[in-house]
Amino acid sequence: MIPIRLRLHNFMCYRDNVPPLHFNGIHVACICGENGNGKSALIDAITWALWGKARSNTADDLIFLGESDMQVELDFEMGGDLYKVIRKRSKPKNRSGQGQTVLELLLHADGGYRSLTGESIDATQRKIADEILHMDYDTFINSAFLRQGHADGFTEQPPGK
């Protein structure tokens, strides 16, 4: 999976009107900087878009403080095809309600995008993880990406994993 562009709206420390992050020409990256500047949030945005998982306890914790919704849009290349994943989250309208998550999967074709979104979030999630990426979240965070404080995750896995 090669990331192409990342767009954020009210995701963690990134509020609204954040310019998209373009990954063109980047082959290996090391994100560094002062604590609290949003480095890990960029990786969380990618993992949340692709697998619906990040380092937070709940999806609502990923929404910028004081806001009611957020969105992450990731364009990526896999196997010569260009895909777009859009994952949105809205907090519940009242305390007894539930929030809502929307997941869309699109394939770039013929100058536009064709929807590959399944009938449910689970169906779309399976398409992303099993049919396109051929990788689950745990495999990604233990091999392709070293999370802060979890660099030994790969070596601690049993041989079957």
Side-chain angles (χ1 to χ4, degrees):
M1 187 272 301
I2 301 170
I4 304 296
R5 184 180 67 138
L6 180 65
R7 293 179 52 117
L8 306 173
H9 168 75
N10 291 337
F11 185 83
M12 298 183 78
C13 59
Y14 294 95
R15 197 161 188 182
D16 201 6
N17 298 322
V18 176
L21 177 59
H22 295 273
F23 295 95
N24 298 341
I26 300 173
H27 300 286
V28 176
C30 175
I31 303 171
C32 58
E34 296 293 323
N35 286 342
N37 283 347
K39 301 175 300 295
S40 296
L42 295 174
I43 301 300
D44 283 329
I46 292 170
T47 62
W48 193 75
L50 294 173
W51 292 283
K53 296 182 181 183
R55 60 189 159 109
S56 67
N57 293 327
T58 69
D60 289 345
D61 291 342
L62 298 171
I63 300 173
F64 189 91
L65 187 63
E67 298 295 333
S68 61
D69 65 343
M70 59 100 159
Q71 176 176 317
V72 174
E73 184 177 314
L74 176 67
D75 296 358
F76 67 95
E77 182 185 332
M78 185 70 187
D81 292 320
L82 181 62
Y83 296 92
K84 180 187 298 280
V85 174
I86 303 168
R87 195 177 298 253
K88 304 173 187 178
R89 176 72 182 170
S90 298
K91 287 184 179 179
K93 302 249 186 256
N94 55 52
R95 289 189 166 200
S96 62
Q98 290 191 347
Q100 182 179 12
T101 299
V102 175
L103 176 59
E104 298 175 56
L105 173 62
L106 306 162
L107 171 66
H108 188 265
D110 301 322
Y113 284 93
R114 181 172 52 99
S115 177
L116 299 178
T117 304
E119 293 184 14
S120 67
I121 290 176
D122 288 341
T124 305
Q125 187 60 63
R126 281 191 300 275
K127 282 184 185 181
I128 294 169
D130 299 342
E131 298 174 23
I132 296 171
L133 297 176
H134 304 286
M135 182 184 306
D136 63 15
Y137 173 77
D138 290 328
T139 301
F140 179 76
I141 64 167
N142 287 305
S143 62
F145 163 64
L146 300 177
R147 292 183 305 156
Q148 183 177 350
H150 298 275
D152 59 347
F154 178 78
T155 61
E156 292 180 348
Q157 297 300 312
K161 287 193 168 198

